[in-house]
Amino acid sequence: MRKVHSFCRWRCLVKVCFFFCVLVSLSPLIYRRVSIFSYNYKQQKRMPNFTCPSTRKTIAEDVLCLERKTFLKNFKNPCWLQKETHGVNSSYKNGVLRCLPYFHLFGVCKSGTTDLFSRLTQHPQILENLGDLHKETTFWSWGRYGKNGHPGHANVKETLYNFTQFFNAEKIGETQLLLEDMTEYSNVITGHADPMDFWDHSDWREIPQNDPTADVPKFITPHLVKHV
């Protein structure tokens, strides 16, 4: 028995030493990767300078040069009234209610985004969207470049207007609370969860503010999301 215990101890010690040696040998690479990620994260937090209108035309809508919407103060979710020219019926006098998602889930495929989003939308104040699995629109990474498979929209380059149609603005507007000053307020929000927004930036050259001859992009999807 003593020999067996002694053998097990030595085997465990050898394993620990082996993993320690591997960790030490890989530490420069790990440090470099973490440093690059940290630098890129800090760079992405700052919006690079750009001018409008852009001097380059591409297949995608120039989101960075779109006018920012003024969101309604009595909605927790980012919504606004838009004057429509498409004959859309609306219960609002000054236009049609349009909304963007209150939050985005950026995660890689098979990392639990569907489960997390499903659990979030069980809350009565959080609505699903009208996309795939009630969470995915594929707009930012695929749809705006004409690479989606939605019925009636395959190979069609979607615009921000198409993106807003995935969010049930009328449902958000239905739920109103009365505040102490007797003003109406909607506390309902909706979200968006596209895994590909985390990893697929392959069409960054189609963003007009990027240099198509460069090796790395200056603007990627998070910049566009932040702008709108």
Side-chain angles (χ1 to χ4, degrees):
M1 288 292 294
R2 288 182 180 179
K3 289 184 178 180
V4 172
H5 284 304
S6 178
F7 175 75
C8 289
R9 282 195 199 124
W10 278 106
R11 188 169 63 178
C12 291
L13 182 61
V14 168
K15 286 183 178 180
V16 171
C17 291
F18 173 76
F19 285 118
F20 180 75
C21 291
V22 171
L23 184 62
V24 170
S25 62
L26 292 178
S27 59
L29 179 61
I30 296 173
Y31 175 78
R32 183 171 177 273
R33 292 278 183 179
V34 171
S35 298
I36 292 174
F37 176 82
S38 176
Y39 173 77
N40 288 339
Y41 175 74
K42 291 177 181 178
Q43 289 296 106
Q44 297 303 333
K45 286 181 70 176
R46 304 170 187 166
M47 178 69 82
N49 295 326
F50 62 94
T51 57
C52 287
S54 56
T55 57
R56 194 169 70 92
K57 299 295 182 182
T58 67
I59 63 172
E61 181 182 39
D62 191 354
V63 171
L64 289 176
C65 285
L66 293 178
E67 182 181 355
R68 280 181 166 174
K69 305 299 182 182
T70 300
F71 300 132
L72 300 171
K73 294 182 179 179
N74 60 326
F75 282 77
K76 184 175 183 178
N77 197 85
C79 298
W80 69 96
L81 290 175
Q82 180 171 317
K83 294 182 179 179
E84 295 285 348
T85 58
H86 303 87
V88 180
N89 294 325
S90 174
S91 57
Y92 295 87
K93 296 180 180 179
N94 299 326
V96 175
L97 186 67
R98 294 292 178 193
C99 296
L100 290 170
Y102 181 83
F103 66 90
H104 292 259
L105 288 183
F106 291 93
V108 295
C109 298
K110 306 305 178 185
S111 64
T113 55
T114 301
D115 180 67
L116 176 57
F117 195 84
S118 175
R119 291 173 186 272
L120 287 172
T121 53
Q122 290 177 25
H123 192 286
Q125 292 172 217
I126 304 178
L127 298 179
E128 298 175 334
N129 64 48
L130 304 178
D132 299 333
L133 302 176
H134 304 292
K135 72 181 183 77
E136 299 179 13
T137 69
T138 69
F139 171 74
W140 290 108
S141 298
W142 295 348
R144 61 189 307 268
Y145 305 110
K147 298 195 304 184
N148 63 60
H150 294 133
H153 276 262
N155 301 318
V156 174
K157 301 171 188 64
E158 295 180 341
T159 64
L160 193 65
Y161 173 83
N162 301 126
F163 181 59
T164 62
Q165 293 179 313
F166 284 103
F167 306 101
N168 196 337
E170 290 298 323
K171 188 69 175 178
I172 295 173
E174 284 178 5
T175 308
Q176 299 283 350
L177 298 176
L178 277 179
L179 302 180
E180 292 181 359
D181 60 357
M182 300 305 292
T183 58
E184 291 185 335
Y185 182 78
S186 173
N187 63 350
V188 174
I189 62 174
T190 187
H192 180 242
D194 272 354
M196 67 287 300
D197 290 345
F198 182 90
W199 55 266
D200 191 354
H201 302 284
S202 56
D203 287 298
W204 62 265
R205 289 183 174 83
E206 300 301 334
I207 299 176
Q209 288 74 19
N210 282 328
D211 180 358
T213 64
D215 294 326
V216 294
K218 187 177 181 181
F219 297 90
I220 55 177
T221 297
H223 292 111
L224 308 184
V225 175
K226 181 179 180 181
H227 176 74
V228 300

